[in-house]
């Protein structure tokens, strides 16, 4: 399939309206503000409006057809800033910043909220978790992860939030943690065969028949 217009690593990836968005990331000493959209029907990438700030290791999630990009690293600092992209206007706007600076965090949306999970603040791996409410434009801290981790993978399945793998500061994790929002708690549920950092994660689904 068609390649990206620029090389990117540690980018954010999200899907809106059957298109894939590649957000930020970097290439060597270049830190991207750019974002591009892939249309699988046309097999084509199109550059859209860039982020307000360069971000690698950015946490990205979609909620109500809006794309949220939080934290990351701009080449000098781990970031607290967060921004929201509207596909209908092709514009980014800044929203309230994270409580903590974090790059390499996981992100997912669940029950009308966006979660920013773990990451690295420039000194240590984090186990803290924040939840963003678009209605009030506020981040609040919820129950922390059991294990500190950055470069983790996060996804939602059957009304629960899952994080897997990541880097703990001294080694790569193979553990899977599950967040139960009704109880605001995390629990260990399984382990992979190998420790993995920066892995891709996806949920498969079957169309309704």
């Amino acid at each position: 399939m068609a390649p990206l217009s620029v090389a990117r690593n540690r980018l954010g990836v999200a899907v809106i309206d059957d298109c894939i968005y590649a957000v930020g990331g970097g290439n060597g000493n270049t830190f991207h503000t750019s974002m591009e959209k892939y249309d699988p029907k046309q097999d084509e990438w199109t550059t859209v409006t860039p982020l307000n700030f360069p971000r690698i290791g950015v946490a990205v999630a979609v909620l109500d057809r809006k794309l949220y990009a939080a934290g990351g690293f701009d080449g000098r600092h781990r970031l607290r800033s967060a921004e929201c992209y509207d596909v209908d206007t092709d514009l980014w706007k800044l929203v309230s910043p994270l409580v903590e600076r974090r790059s390499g965090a996981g992100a997912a949306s669940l029950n009308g909220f966006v979660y920013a999970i773990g990451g690295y603040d420039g000194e240590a791996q984090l186990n803290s978790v924040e939840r963003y409410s678009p209605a009030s434009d506020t981040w609040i801290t919820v129950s922390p992860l059991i294990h500190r981790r950055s470069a983790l993978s996060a996804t939602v399945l059957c009304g629960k939030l899952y994080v897997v793998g990541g880097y703990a500061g001294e080694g790569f994790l193979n553990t899977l943690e599950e967040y139960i929002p009704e109880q605001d708690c995390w629990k260990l549920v399984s382990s992979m065969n190998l420790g993995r950092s920066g892995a891709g994660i996806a949920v498969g689904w079957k169309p309704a028949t």
Side-chain angles (χ1 to χ4, degrees):
M1 295 181 285
L4 292 159
S5 63
V6 296
R8 303 173 187 268
N9 81 328
R10 299 184 64 196
L11 68 157
V13 177
V15 174
I16 306 176
D17 295 343
D18 298 326
C19 288
I20 300 172
Y21 288 79
V23 186
N27 179 20
N29 292 323
T30 300
F31 301 89
H32 297 312
T33 58
S34 63
M35 179 170 73
E36 48 192 304
K37 176 178 72 172
Y38 178 72
D39 182 345
K41 295 178 182 177
Q42 303 297 324
D43 186 28
E44 182 178 70
W45 290 93
T46 304
T47 301
V48 294
T49 299
L51 295 153
N52 287 286
F53 300 103
R55 303 175 188 270
I56 68 170
V58 59
V60 167
V62 172
L63 178 62
D64 296 331
R65 293 184 65 248
K66 299 229 176 11
L67 191 157
Y68 293 85
F73 180 61
D74 67 1
R76 295 181 301 168
H77 307 291
R78 269 74 193 179
L79 303 175
R80 287 182 57 216
S81 62
E83 43 192 305
C84 174
Y85 176 75
D86 187 327
V87 294
D88 295 323
T89 62
D90 187 28
L91 293 174
W92 287 95
K93 71 172 184 178
L94 292 174
V95 296
S96 290
L98 295 158
V99 177
E100 294 185 78
R101 302 178 187 276
R102 57 183 83 222
S103 66
S109 61
L110 177 64
N111 297 338
F113 299 103
V114 173
Y115 289 81
I117 309 154
Y120 179 68
D121 67 0
E123 296 182 358
Q125 274 64 38
L126 303 171
N127 64 347
S128 60
V129 180
E130 303 181 39
R131 186 180 74 194
Y132 177 74
S133 168
S136 61
D137 187 29
T138 54
W139 293 90
I140 65 168
T141 301
V142 295
S143 290
L145 294 162
I146 297 167
H147 293 148
R148 294 177 178 270
R149 55 182 90 207
S150 63
L152 62 146
S153 303
T155 195
V156 169
L157 179 64
C158 299
K160 295 177 182 177
L161 176 59
Y162 292 90
V163 299
V164 60
Y167 180 63
E170 296 180 350
F172 301 108
L173 298 171
N174 66 349
T175 52
L176 173 70
E177 297 188 39
E178 175 189 84
Y179 179 70
I180 305 169
E182 297 81 8
Q183 301 173 18
D184 185 26
C185 70
W186 292 89
K187 68 176 183 178
L188 289 171
V189 291
S190 185
S191 296
M192 297 183 291
N193 294 313
L194 298 172
R196 297 175 187 267
S197 173
I201 189 169
V203 172
W205 61 281
K206 292 182 179 180
T209 56

